[in-house]
Amino acid sequence: MRIEEKIVAQIQSALKELFSVEAESGKLSLQPTRKEFEGDFTLVVFPFVKLARKSPEETARLIGEYVKENMDEIQSFNIIKGFLNFALHDKVWTGFLSDAVAEKEYGVAKRDDTDVSVVEYSSPNTNKPLHLGHIRNNLLGYSIAQIMEASGKKTIKVNLVNDRGIHICKSMVAWIKWGNGETPESTGKKGDKLVGDYYVRFETELRKEAQALKDSHNYDDDIARNNAPLMVEAREMLRSWEKGDEETVKVWKMMNQWVYKGFDSTYQRLGVSFEKIYYESDTYLLGKEIVLEGLEKGFLFKKEDGSIWADLTDEGLDQKLLLRADGTSVYMTQDIGTAQLRFDDYNATQMIYVVGNEQNYHFDVLKKVLKKLGKEYSDSLYHLSYGMVELPQGKMKSREGTVVDADDLMDEMYSTARKTTEELGKVEGFTEEEKENLFDTIGLGALKYFILKVDPKKNMLFNPAESIDFNGNTGPFIQYTHARIRSILRKAAEKGLMEKEFDSTVVTLNDKEKQLLKTLYAFPQTIRQAASEMSPAMIANYVYDLAKEFNQFYHEHSVLNEPDLNISLFRVQLSLLTAGVVKTAMGLLGINVPERM
RNA sequence: GGUUCCGUAGCUCAGCUGGAUAGAGCAACAGCCUUCUAAGCUGUGGGUCGCAGGUUCGAAUCCUGCCGGAAUCACCA
């Protein structure tokens, strides 16, 4: 039982015995005492003063005395206005340290295999390379999955690749027309970049054609675009793909393979992975069956032209098309199919979609349509909606060339890390391979932390002109703290201090030690909260706080030069746990921590 | 126009289901390396928490209305 639960139980019986008050569990929340005050846990007594018919101070005093009387762990209490602060004996904290160090991975909950979350993230189109927006998506998705897993759920990471549709056909048309048989091998270009180039080429040429039509026929923008020969060709190619035309499918497969290879290298470098990859070309027909079945059961309705719709007006939304008159499916249809598939594949208790907030409406509708179709799992769908990454001049626009490419960005982070590290003269005695690993770890750590520390639902700003910081509230700061601790621990090991236990009954804690222990103590509940709120930012802020606490402790007290052996041993264990938590927490963000830097 | 989200220091962001004097980092200024890694530590300055009401013993936090910004409201995905 956690210590604060014990205290709460005591407070409950105190209220009952002293004032005959049955405390509502909601009102009885114990919180960590703020740093400026003395004590470890605080009870706000204001909610009870009316019922106690006593002053806040008197109420607090009576409760405090009762609890202290009944709990050995309580060393003392003090009262400031209506705040009752309990202070624990130091040995409670040092005992916690011993217990936590003994755990295999402190903070990580045991896994419950019956509670399965499927996290979909990334979900790229195969006509363009990945950019900064995808990076936020990928980092969020990967991190959320790690956090859920650490909170005790079985978590499956999946990717849904949008490998079919008009956008792919555009790249294909352009490549066939102007490609001269170019391949990634012949050009030395990454496959996703090559295919992206043809997509851009298509759009450029299309714009020219559309402009010509506007000039000659006086068409509107839309009509001109849709009637341009290239567009006609792309649509023709989509039809021929859907018919399964051999030559078309061959080109499609080939170009998609190029893209996958390119994506794989980006994913790998970014450090994200998937247990399963779904392809829309495999799943897009599944939704159709469900929709037709729903029509039969009378959940949906058919219009005169033969198109099939869901009526959501009773839910405050509109009618929504699910199948076109010609029987082809739309985006929503596909997602109905993939939701079902995912549910069937994993018997998921929770299905999380990491998708940008521009699709809020879509997921709202998806949930309601599934409900309408009688799918009991519709409630388990959760759209993890995140905000856009904006540049100082606003959104990224490919037309204006402001798209921040994922690979380029990682390259830049690497270079900055190298430059900074070399200037600081930190890599003497490193092999070339060690150096490369370190620059990668630091560069990516800076990038990932920068993105993940922001609340997912908020839009965030990225300024390419100012490179991401390495000082202050940053990934490298935390990595540095870890490296520092590891350095101490290496030396402690040389001195043979690692295996020895300290005597927890004789250690008197100073402020920094106690603060550090309290922060470490909060790690498991931070994971739980981050999981329930699906917020890696909570982990990021926590680990920053922890690193800061350690640096303050480090600055004021020495671990190895401490003359009292028992205290030195205690501090070694304290450092060991801190390093472990930093590493675990950063791991939940997908960030590696170096041994030296 | 409807719906959803956001608005906290010059800038980038924390602030948990309401609790004590609203916090960090960056930038500015001033200190600290014969001591376990100075990518660090300490200090100074900087705020009508968008505005106005309301609920409450208590509101940055909850409710309502405005103001400002974003997204969305497709037989695109």
Side-chain angles (χ1 to χ4, degrees):
Chain A
M1 195 192 244
R2 287 175 69 82
I3 187 78
E4 60 266 54
E5 287 169 19
K6 273 187 177 176
I7 300 174
V8 164
Q10 285 301 325
I11 292 168
Q12 251 165 336
S13 54
L15 288 169
K16 197 170 177 183
E17 284 195 23
L18 298 169
F19 315 120
S20 314
V21 171
E22 293 288 343
E24 301 163 42
S25 56
K27 277 192 178 175
L28 240 182
S29 77
L30 204 61
Q31 46 199 283
T33 303
R34 294 180 55 141
K35 281 181 204 170
E36 321 74 283
F37 301 97
E38 196 196 323
D40 300 319
F41 294 101
T42 297
L43 176 75
V44 183
V45 300
F46 290 116
F48 314 112
V49 296
K50 235 178 224 170
L51 297 162
R53 298 166 164 282
K54 293 202 164 27
S55 72
E57 287 80 359
E58 182 67 1
T59 310
R61 190 179 61 78
L62 290 168
I63 297 172
E65 275 168 4
Y66 181 98
V67 175
K68 183 172 181 324
E69 196 61 31
N70 289 286
M71 271 184 76
D72 294 341
E73 292 92 336
I74 307 285
Q75 201 240 336
S76 65
F77 66 90
N78 66 79
I79 298 152
I80 300 168
K81 291 194 269 181
F83 296 89
L84 171 57
N85 303 316
F86 293 105
L88 271 46
H89 284 290
D90 283 354
K91 66 171 194 292
V92 177
W93 292 113
T94 51
F96 150 71
L97 176 61
S98 303
D99 294 347
V101 167
E103 283 184 42
K104 198 164 63 234
E105 197 176 14
Y106 169 67
V108 174
K110 215 185 287 166
R111 198 167 86 178
D112 173 6
D113 282 338
T114 64
D115 192 358
V116 182
S117 286
V118 177
V119 179
E120 177 197 306
Y121 69 102
S122 205
S123 319
N125 290 351
T126 56
N127 62 325
K128 274 189 219 168
L130 304 174
H131 58 69
L132 182 53
H134 296 109
I135 289 188
R136 190 176 193 191
N137 180 301
N138 281 287
L139 297 181
L140 274 173
Y142 180 82
S143 178
I144 282 297
Q146 300 308 112
I147 291 167
M148 304 277 276
E149 186 86 14
S151 79
K153 288 173 190 290
K154 182 174 178 183
T155 309
I156 315 283
K157 302 189 289 288
V158 305
N159 192 355
L160 174 61
V161 177
N162 182 13
D163 60 343
R164 63 170 283 278
I166 192 74
H167 46 287
I168 320 300
C169 293
K170 289 178 180 176
S171 293
M172 288 162 64
V173 166
W175 181 81
I176 290 166
K177 260 187 157 36
W178 302 297
N180 299 317
E182 266 189 7
T183 65
E185 289 74 27
S186 77
T187 56
K189 218 169 201 167
K190 257 181 102 219
D192 52 333
K193 298 280 162 56
L194 187 67
V195 171
D197 287 348
Y198 283 101
Y199 183 79
V200 171
R201 178 75 186 270
F202 179 94
E203 287 293 334
T204 312
E205 300 291 341
L206 175 64
R207 224 171 300 134
K208 283 188 209 158
E209 288 187 358
Q211 190 59 47
L213 279 179
K214 271 172 80 177
D215 294 345
S216 58
H217 292 69
N218 209 15
Y219 285 159
D220 300 356
D221 286 341
D222 275 5
I223 296 174
R225 245 181 100 82
N226 282 324
N227 286 298
L230 271 173
M231 203 61 193
V232 172
E233 239 180 289
R235 276 199 303 268
E236 179 50 41
M237 181 153 293
L238 182 59
R239 268 192 295 277
S240 122
W241 180 87
E242 293 213 0
K243 271 187 291 188
D245 174 74
E246 210 173 304
E247 192 56 31
T248 308
V249 170
K250 200 175 135 200
V251 174
W252 172 78
K253 273 191 181 156
M254 179 183 70
M255 291 183 76
N256 270 337
Q257 283 310 316
W258 295 348
V259 173
Y260 299 150
K261 210 171 163 201
F263 282 176
D264 280 348
S265 93
T266 305
Y267 285 145
Q268 200 184 355
R269 181 145 188 222
L270 203 50
V272 303
S273 57
F274 307 93
E275 273 75 57
K276 168 121 186 171
I277 297 180
Y278 291 99
Y279 297 93
E280 279 192 10
S281 56
D282 293 335
T283 63
Y284 80 107
L285 294 171
L286 286 173
K288 222 164 139 173
E289 293 173 27
I290 300 171
V291 168
L292 291 172
E293 194 189 313
L295 180 67
E296 241 170 69
K297 290 184 179 164
F299 298 143
L300 307 173
F301 71 97
K302 193 182 237 174
K303 286 197 178 174
E304 292 151 16
D305 65 355
S307 57
I308 299 173
W309 296 69
D311 184 3
L312 301 173
T313 46
D314 53 338
E315 301 260 19
L317 298 177
D318 244 331
Q319 297 181 342
K320 187 73 192 175
L321 176 87
L322 298 180
L323 273 183
R324 295 188 186 101
D326 65 2
T328 57
S329 54
V330 293
Y331 180 41
M332 188 63 70
T333 325
Q334 296 171 19
D335 268 2
I336 291 168
T338 51
Q340 181 69 47
L341 188 62
R342 204 166 293 175
F343 180 73
D344 293 342
D345 279 355
Y346 297 106
N347 197 15
T349 48
Q350 196 175 23
M351 298 197 274
I352 297 163
Y353 294 77
V354 182
V355 179
N357 62 11
E358 75 266 12
Q359 294 194 34
N360 284 353
Y361 180 74
H362 172 76
F363 281 99
D364 206 15
V365 171
L366 176 62
K367 254 184 112 145
K368 287 181 167 136
V369 169
L370 285 170
K371 190 160 220 161
K372 185 133 275 191
L373 287 165
K375 300 299 180 185
E376 70 289 349
Y377 59 78
S378 71
D379 284 332
S380 65
L381 259 66
Y382 183 83
H383 174 206
L384 176 54
S385 160
Y386 63 91
M388 302 288 99
V389 183
E390 287 168 353
L391 304 173
Q393 62 273 49
K395 287 182 73 170
M396 289 189 283
K397 293 197 182 97
S398 52
R399 201 167 293 177
E400 290 165 26
T402 54
V403 174
V404 178
D405 178 78
D407 297 318
D408 292 350
L409 182 56
M410 285 191 277
D411 285 344
E412 278 168 38
M413 293 309 300
Y414 176 93
S415 308
T416 313
R418 183 178 60 204
K419 187 163 163 279
T420 310
T421 307
E422 282 172 351
E423 273 170 13
L424 289 166
K426 296 267 187 176
V427 279
E428 285 158 28
F430 276 61
T431 67
E432 277 309 310
E433 197 189 344
E434 285 171 336
K435 278 190 202 172
E436 273 182 36
N437 281 336
L438 182 65
F439 303 149
D440 217 50
T441 299
I442 296 174
L444 278 170
L447 175 63
K448 291 180 181 184
Y449 186 86
F450 179 83
I451 287 173
L452 289 175
K453 76 171 176 183
V454 180
D455 181 349
K457 69 171 181 271
K458 290 188 178 177
N459 286 358
M460 63 173 293
L461 185 84
F462 176 81
N463 189 346
E466 305 169 7
S467 57
I468 292 172
D469 243 304
F470 284 19
N471 298 319
N473 188 356
T474 66
F477 166 82
I478 297 161
Q479 291 172 322
Y480 174 70
T481 306
H482 180 264
R484 255 182 167 181
I485 302 174
R486 296 304 307 174
S487 171
I488 294 173
L489 295 174
R490 278 192 300 272
K491 288 179 176 144
E494 281 169 24
K495 291 184 168 188
L497 299 177
M498 294 304 292
E499 293 74 27
K500 294 187 191 160
E501 286 183 18
F502 65 96
D503 181 348
S504 65
T505 58
V506 300
V507 173
T508 308
L509 298 172
N510 62 48
D511 283 354
K512 297 297 175 194
E513 289 164 341
K514 196 188 253 190
Q515 199 52 50
L516 197 45
L517 282 167
K518 286 193 211 175
T519 306
L520 290 165
Y521 179 76
F523 186 44
Q525 67 218 47
T526 303
I527 291 181
R528 276 196 297 275
Q529 205 178 341
S532 76
E533 295 186 22
M534 297 193 199
S535 173
M538 297 194 64
I539 299 291
N541 287 309
Y542 169 81
V543 70
Y544 170 64
D545 199 42
L546 178 64
K548 224 168 33 155
E549 300 284 5
F550 186 85
N551 280 323
Q552 287 171 17
F553 158 74
Y554 177 94
H555 186 255
E556 285 183 32
H557 308 285
S558 182
V559 176
L560 301 173
N561 299 327
E562 166 58 43
D564 183 320
L565 179 64
N566 194 47
I567 293 177
S568 184
L569 289 173
F570 158 71
R571 289 181 183 164
V572 167
Q573 296 300 309
L574 182 59
S575 302
L576 180 65
L577 184 63
T578 305
V581 170
V582 167
K583 185 171 186 169
T584 303
M586 290 293 263
L588 297 180
L589 303 176
I591 302 175
N592 292 324
V593 287
E595 292 292 307
R596 293 185 293 155
M597 72 181 271

